[in-house]
Amino acid sequence: MTRSTPLTASPQAPRRRRLRADAVAGPTLAEVAARAGVSEITVSRVMRGAGNVSKATAARVMEAVRETGYVRNRLAGSLAGHRSNQIGVLLPSLGNIVFPDVLNGIEDGLEAAGFHPVLGITHYRPEREEHLLASLLAWRPAGLIVTGTRHTAPARAMLGAAGVPVVEVMDVDTAPVDMAVGISHRAAGAAMAQHLLARGYRRFGYVGHDLTADERAAQRRDGFRAALAEAGMDAPVECLSGTPSSVGAGREALARLLEGAAPQAVFFSNDDMATGGVFHCLAAGIDLPSGLAIAGFNGLEIGQQLPRPLTTIGSRRRDIGRTAAGMILARLAGEAPAPVADVGFTLIPGATA
Amino acid sequence: MTRSTPLTASPQAPRRRRLRADAVAGPTLAEVAARAGVSEITVSRVMRGAGNVSKATAARVMEAVRETGYVRNRLAGSLAGHRSNQIGVLLPSLGNIVFPDVLNGIEDGLEAAGFHPVLGITHYRPEREEHLLASLLAWRPAGLIVTGTRHTAPARAMLGAAGVPVVEVMDVDTAPVDMAVGISHRAAGAAMAQHLLARGYRRFGYVGHDLTADERAAQRRDGFRAALAEAGMDAPVECLSGTPSSVGAGREALARLLEGAAPQAVFFSNDDMATGGVFHCLAAGIDLPSGLAIAGFNGLEIGQQLPRPLTTIGSRRRDIGRTAAGMILARLAGEAPAPVADVGFTLIPGATA
DNA sequence: AACGATGGTGACAGCGCTGTCATCCTGCGA
DNA sequence: TCGCAGGATGACAGCGCTGTCACCATCGTT
């Protein structure tokens, strides 16, 4: 460990063999063991809660730990024991609340078992995911949580060869490398199409953000279009903003869409975009849903607090995170959870469509 | 490292000395070195980019790395080299976009230098922070980023004794354990009071969420109240919701506040709450700002996309995160950055006050 | 011609811990 | 009384890597 300011300067470097040179590196098992009058391995067992230590000995050890201020070194422990409590987590973005929600669920699930997430943000770039993956793997994590099923070939190879549980989160439309948890985004898109059709709408629009990066949004759109086609509808008029999703982007994109078309109902790539759409209608004096119906995706709180609650689909992001953590932990415990967990989505009727 | 499914079963456990028993643990430096016809230390140098290796040798080594599929083991490296590339990060919540923004900045700053954040969420509970800190410290992180300046005594002791750079983020009102980056929340609250006073408002209200947990929101409120008092104003009428901040909580709290009082301008604990306030006004037919002025804090995108852009204070959260990462890295590079970095805030006039 | 400076390479000894087996003790059934 | 199961404890040998010297070959300098 690099130290910014050595607390103690070694007065004169002894020739060779400078056991605990830094003097600041803190006590080791050996010191605690000496103090407690037991062997190192016994202290190790106490620290790990590994059995076969008498109550009395354990108490003496804990006392010595307290006196010395011993801090367990998991670097050494993991190296020797071939087991870590770190889980590599790769998410595409923290730009809206969706992935933080997932991460929150992951942290929650892991923390309860004493595991830590080690985080990387890919910015929706597969090469960056590959790079981060290689870097995380050097830490020999006990498991990996990555986003989606689109990976570079080397990344896929690394995931396969890592020899640890891997969960791909968000999306269960494609066969996973190892395990997956999420929902079918195609089905979600289709479900919204069916809902809007059932409400009587017949002329549709779609407003999206940069779909080349966000493949799940693309799948929702595909599902939406396919379901409309199947019902014999015309293809929706579309406006894609090409930027990351945001309220502003949704607002502008809807405005542009309405310049050239007059759909009855517009499906947005997500709730941020849809909220922007609602704001445009508010500003333009378009009544919801009589003047225009709007639907989103995610079931964010903001959407439900709008003047009229947003018609949307709840995506249970926290559950996805927590389930992902649970699947990893189950595998580490020797269980064999079902490889694919579909947490399901909920259509929230709202009042904008 | 625990493996879910051993790829190869060891046919018969050799007596003692089972070098590379798992057979799945992947190649080591020794194997790469043998293949490249150099010593282990040379391979190590190539992998680390530590100098003094000829181009030709390095190329041979890289070739051997590729052939063997060698993955560097940082567990062993960190143990032997006393240096890690992991930074412990403790945040209170990922429930709204504020801390994800900070985390995003942190990840950004760290990733560029090849460092990884190891995350813990405290849920605004100091004991949980203490617990997580102890757990993270076992990994001998190269640095620590924690939130705010309120810690339990043991936590404070651990931070002091960790012997690594520590940055406390968000808040620069209190003297840091080591370094701090953020803004003065007192000053921000006062700045908003002055802004509202300058706009001619004289009767004030305050709407907040659970301030016992969120001490920075409490500081903004204090600064707001102090500045009003100094200007000879009556203390603001207040409504505190006691729940975590949310749009819905802001909406309800404002409604309750207006039942018993008629302030001209209301300062909200943050933009989520203020957005709720705006929605209440929208629903109740209260014109902004003539019927009521509303001000928030954070400068979230949603606030700026409301029918009337929200009067608020930009809090530069990403910058805070990036600066925190930069301060840690600077210290690790042997520099001595200023211990306190005030990134400053910006009053965004908006149109709701 | 002798010199130190520099660049390239390697031997060695751990870093601090845990897996594995061996050992010792105690109590209990035959 | 003896043997033995099972709990408690310890010795030993690494886990895979890097810090620290040591060494050798150039190479330019005086």
Side-chain angles (χ1 to χ4, degrees), chain B residues 15-42:
Chain B
R15 291 275 104 214
R16 290 286 165 114
R17 179 64 184 158
R18 346 139 285 134
L19 182 65
R20 329 275 354 286
D22 268 348
V24 72
T28 66
L29 270 194
E31 273 138 272
V32 177
R35 185 150 200 145
V38 297
S39 68
E40 295 184 33
I41 190 69
T42 297

Side-chain angles (χ1 to χ4, degrees), chain A residues 168-248:
Chain A
E168 292 168 284
V169 291
M170 304 316 283
D171 183 356
V172 296
D173 278 325
T174 319
V177 170
D178 181 8
M179 296 182 281
V181 52
I183 64 172
S184 164
H185 288 262
R186 269 194 77 87
M192 185 55 83
Q194 269 132 26
H195 177 73
L196 295 177
L197 284 166
R199 305 278 296 168
Y201 301 108
R202 290 297 176 266
R203 294 195 317 276
F204 298 92
Y206 175 85
V207 166
H209 58 281
D210 177 12
L211 300 186
T212 58
D214 187 342
E215 91 226 58
R216 283 164 295 282
Q219 281 170 4
R220 294 192 293 275
R221 166 173 169 266
D222 289 351
F224 181 69
R225 293 177 59 107
L228 290 184
E230 199 168 312
M233 299 289 126
D234 286 343
V237 291
E238 300 198 331
C239 181
L240 304 181
S241 91
T243 65
S245 92
S246 72
V247 177

Side-chain angles (χ1 to χ4, degrees), chain B:
Chain B
M1 201 164 40
T2 304
R3 315 198 155 281
S4 43
T5 48
L7 298 189
T8 311
S10 38
Q12 57 219 337
R15 291 275 104 214
R16 290 286 165 114
R17 179 64 184 158
R18 346 139 285 134
L19 182 65
R20 329 275 354 286
D22 268 348
V24 72
T28 66
L29 270 194
E31 273 138 272
V32 177
R35 185 150 200 145
V38 297
S39 68
E40 295 184 33
I41 190 69
T42 297
V43 178
S44 172
R45 287 188 183 120
V46 173
M47 293 308 292
R48 288 179 287 155
N52 276 11
V53 179
S54 72
K55 286 245 193 291
T57 309
R60 270 214 327 287
V61 168
M62 285 315 295
E63 176 62 19
V65 165
R66 229 165 286 123
E67 288 169 6
T68 54
Y70 172 73
V71 176
R72 186 174 170 190
N73 186 335
R74 300 203 75 129
L75 247 31
S78 292
L79 179 62
H82 308 282
R83 76 185 72 250
S84 157
N85 70 346
Q86 296 192 145
I87 305 291
V89 176
L90 292 177
L91 299 176
S93 151
L94 295 175
N96 66 22
I97 198 65
V98 170
F99 289 107
D101 278 349
V102 175
L103 182 54
N104 211 347
I106 291 173
E107 205 273 342
D108 221 57
L110 294 182
E111 147 68 10
F115 282 64
H116 299 296
V118 185
L119 183 67
I121 306 296
T122 69
H123 297 285
Y124 287 103
R125 295 212 302 275
E127 337 76 68
R128 178 145 164 171
E129 181 186 65
E130 178 185 325
H131 170 81
L132 284 167
L133 190 55
S135 185
L136 285 183
L137 247 18
W139 282 102
R140 301 294 190 268
L144 291 166
I145 297 176
V146 300
T147 309
T149 48
R150 189 220 271 168
H151 314 288
T152 66
R156 192 170 293 278
M158 285 189 262
L159 289 174
V164 298
V166 176
V167 178
E168 291 167 287
V169 292
M170 303 316 284
D171 183 356
V172 296
D173 278 324
T174 319
V177 171
D178 181 9
M179 297 181 282
V181 52
I183 64 172
S184 164
H185 288 262
R186 269 194 79 85
M192 185 55 83
Q194 269 133 25
H195 177 73
L196 296 176
L197 284 166
R199 304 277 297 168
Y201 301 107
R202 289 297 176 266
R203 296 196 315 278
F204 298 93
Y206 174 86
V207 166
H209 57 282
D210 178 12
L211 300 186
T212 59
D214 188 342
E215 89 225 59
R216 284 164 294 282
Q219 282 172 4
R220 295 193 292 274
R221 166 173 169 265
D222 289 351
F224 181 69
R225 293 177 60 107
L228 290 184
E230 200 168 311
M233 298 291 126
D234 288 341
V237 291
E238 300 197 332
C239 182
L240 303 181
S241 89
T243 64
S245 91
S246 71
V247 177
R251 187 173 185 163
E252 286 163 27
L254 179 61
R256 241 179 305 136
L257 183 76
L258 296 183
E259 280 169 17
Q264 297 169 318
V266 176
F267 182 39
F268 284 74
S269 51
N270 64 31
D271 278 5
D272 295 88
M273 298 290 286
T275 299
V278 170
F279 286 171
H280 170 75
C281 293
L282 230 52
I286 300 171
D287 188 59
L288 297 176
S290 66
L292 182 69
I294 283 184
F297 174 85
N298 266 330
L300 302 190
E301 200 231 344
I302 179 78
Q304 298 314 300
Q305 296 294 339
L306 290 169
R308 299 183 70 90
L310 186 65
T311 298
T312 186
I313 289 177
S315 56
R316 309 189 57 194
R317 300 168 297 282
R318 248 190 105 101
D319 284 346
I320 291 178
R322 207 155 7 198
T323 305
M327 290 168 92
I328 300 255
L329 295 173
R331 276 280 273 282
L332 293 177
E335 300 160 29
V340 175
D342 188 334
V343 299
F345 53 80
T346 328
L347 203 139
I348 301 171
T352 60

